[in-house]
Amino acid sequence: MSVTTSQLSEVATLARLQLEAEQAEPVTHAINQILGLVDQLQALDLQDVAPMAHPRDEIQRLRVDAVTETNQREAFQAIAPAAEEGLYVVPPVIE
């Protein structure tokens, strides 16, 4: 399959793209190269190839959900400007 310059200008018009005359030939050539690669891929014999769900069927290694830090709330709230009943006290933002 190949694309002509006139077909490219029609598609550019439909897509509302401005395509200058000097750009048409290189873009047509590039699109034809891409379509040539697609033709090569479609010509491959894939009868004996099993489909894959994902190219890399790997399992994500997760760390153990365990507590590794000690509770330091009292130490942090001791240096806070204001704390009450285990909570930080802040000035109201909305009145």
Side-chain angles (χ1 to χ4, degrees):
M1 175 178 211
S2 65
V3 175
T4 63
T5 307
S6 63
Q7 290 172 328
L8 180 66
S9 6
E10 287 178 33
V11 171
T13 302
L14 292 172
R16 296 185 182 196
L17 297 173
Q18 183 177 357
L19 187 64
E20 302 295 331
E22 62 271 1
Q23 294 174 322
E25 190 60 38
V27 172
T28 304
H29 180 68
I31 290 175
N32 285 330
Q33 284 184 326
I34 293 169
L35 291 175
L37 292 173
V38 171
D39 287 340
Q40 286 180 5
L41 289 174
Q42 288 179 344
L44 293 175
D45 180 25
L46 302 175
Q47 291 295 332
D48 298 329
V49 178
M52 296 187 301
H54 191 274
R56 299 182 77 186
D57 288 327
E58 295 180 2
I59 298 171
Q60 183 178 6
R61 293 177 285 156
L62 302 174
R63 63 177 173 80
V64 178
D65 190 15
V67 177
T68 57
E69 297 289 326
T70 58
N71 184 1
Q72 300 179 25
R73 180 172 33 177
E74 287 79 23
F76 292 140
Q77 288 188 345
I79 60 173
E84 226 176 76
E85 298 178 14
L87 303 172
Y88 294 101
V89 180
V90 296
V93 178
I94 301 174
E95 293 185 30

